[in-house]
Amino acid sequence: MTDDDPRDRDAGHGQDDHPFSEGEGFDDPDGFDLDPPELSVDPSEVDPIDSRVLTELLDERQLGTEDVDVEELVEVGLSYIEINRYEQATETFERAAQFADDDRVEQEARVNKGAAHAELEEYDAAIGAYREALDIDADPDHTASAETNLAYALWESGRSEQALEHAERAVERDQRFGQGWYNRGFFLLERGLAEDALDSFDNALRLGFRNAEVLEEKARALEEVGEDERAEEVAEEAREMREEAEEELVRDRQRARNS
């Protein structure tokens, strides 16, 4: 939760808090790097960063009904996500789901559709898409992601008890789902169950789901149980991680301007 904290979309629960697939299933949740397929762009003719041009290229890859390539549509949907064209993404994922003859691919498309709706803050639509994905239940990875994303959407809709229930189901589905453990810990902490939350945060960290948000929530839980010294150590680690991420972002932007 995606990943973006249900209390504050600027505190780690923004775009990256709604796990999208990579087009061929969900990889281990060590962040949500959207890796769209290569677009046929000639850098000498157009700026590949121009989202209008990218959108036109993606639109060209929308196939006719008689020639639908469902996996290609999923890739197109993910590429729309990459350029923040969430409405086009929801339409593309819905089309992919409708034409899919493989339950696993349909489930993947519906989970991604729900995540795109969540980015638009259309939580009722997101909830519907996740429930449709869960009705299919074809792949444990997709099912765990649907459960944890559903928990987030329910939280945003004010249904916190149901959110915790689905966060619990996510880790039951996949004990190695770090994002799910983090979400479970967050909801437990919100209900005052700090010790149980700590166990969940530690599970998330052991599974490689390590970012500033997880560390910040763990520090908050440590404070709740009276371990102030450890809390400060973890909070300091989170601050350092955020600073490193910000510096890397600046370097990336400088490289992009110079290229």
Side-chain angles (χ1 to χ4, degrees):
M1 181 165 327
T2 334
D3 97 280
D4 179 52
D5 148 342
R7 296 166 303 127
D8 183 350
R9 290 180 61 81
D10 294 328
H13 285 267
Q15 176 175 330
D16 290 346
D17 289 329
H18 316 288
F20 295 93
S21 75
E22 297 286 344
E24 307 228 351
F26 290 85
D27 292 332
D28 290 338
D30 53 355
F32 306 111
D33 240 357
L34 299 181
D35 219 355
E38 275 187 28
L39 300 176
S40 300
V41 177
D42 183 349
S44 67
E45 296 179 1
V46 299
D47 181 354
I49 299 176
D50 185 331
S51 63
R52 180 185 60 78
V53 174
L54 293 179
T55 301
E56 291 174 356
L57 288 167
L58 293 171
D59 289 343
E60 291 175 3
R61 291 168 60 186
Q62 295 277 17
L63 308 177
T65 302
E66 68 281 3
D67 295 313
V68 172
D69 182 331
V70 175
E71 292 185 359
E72 171 78 356
L73 280 178
V74 171
E75 298 288 356
V76 170
L78 290 171
S79 296
Y80 276 131
I81 294 297
E82 178 71 4
I83 59 174
N84 301 327
R85 297 301 179 100
Y86 301 119
E87 290 185 5
Q88 291 96 326
T90 62
E91 294 166 1
T92 304
F93 289 132
E94 175 60 29
R95 192 156 182 258
Q98 288 177 352
F99 285 101
D101 55 11
D102 182 316
D103 284 349
R104 187 176 183 277
V105 176
E106 180 183 354
Q107 187 180 26
E108 177 182 3
R110 295 205 180 279
V111 174
N112 286 332
K113 182 184 180 222
H117 278 301
E119 294 291 353
L120 293 166
E121 300 186 14
E122 297 172 349
Y123 296 113
D124 286 342
I127 288 168
Y130 297 140
R131 292 196 187 280
E132 288 178 329
L134 290 170
D135 286 342
I136 300 169
D137 195 12
D139 182 271
D141 290 341
H142 298 333
T143 300
S145 291
E147 291 283 12
T148 201
N149 283 7
L150 177 56
Y152 172 80
L154 288 166
W155 173 272
E156 288 287 3
S157 299
R159 289 172 266 183
S160 58
E161 289 189 10
Q162 291 183 51
L164 177 57
E165 176 185 342
H166 286 281
E168 296 277 10
R169 289 182 185 176
V171 296
E172 289 172 2
R173 293 282 190 173
D174 184 356
Q175 292 286 316
R176 301 194 60 78
F177 189 22
Q179 173 79 24
W181 282 110
Y182 167 57
N183 286 352
R184 179 181 185 269
F186 177 86
F187 293 127
L188 287 169
L189 185 56
E190 287 296 294
R191 298 187 69 174
L193 302 172
E195 291 187 2
D196 290 338
L198 273 173
D199 289 339
S200 290
F201 294 140
D202 285 338
N203 281 341
L205 292 167
R206 278 194 293 269
L207 291 167
F209 192 77
R210 189 178 192 85
N211 56 44
E213 289 73 36
V214 179
L215 294 173
E216 287 165 352
E217 292 302 320
K218 179 178 178 179
R220 190 162 69 99
L222 287 166
E223 287 181 355
E224 291 291 330
V225 299
E227 296 191 34
D228 295 340
E229 186 174 340
R230 283 188 63 204
E232 180 55 36
E233 291 174 358
V234 174
E236 178 61 27
E237 185 179 354
R239 284 191 290 271
E240 292 174 357
M241 188 172 290
R242 279 199 182 279
E243 290 172 2
E244 290 174 3
E246 290 169 1
E247 290 171 2
E248 181 62 28
L249 180 60
V250 170
R251 288 194 292 269
D252 287 345
R253 288 175 176 171
Q254 288 175 340
R255 284 194 290 266
R257 284 197 297 268
N258 294 333
S259 62

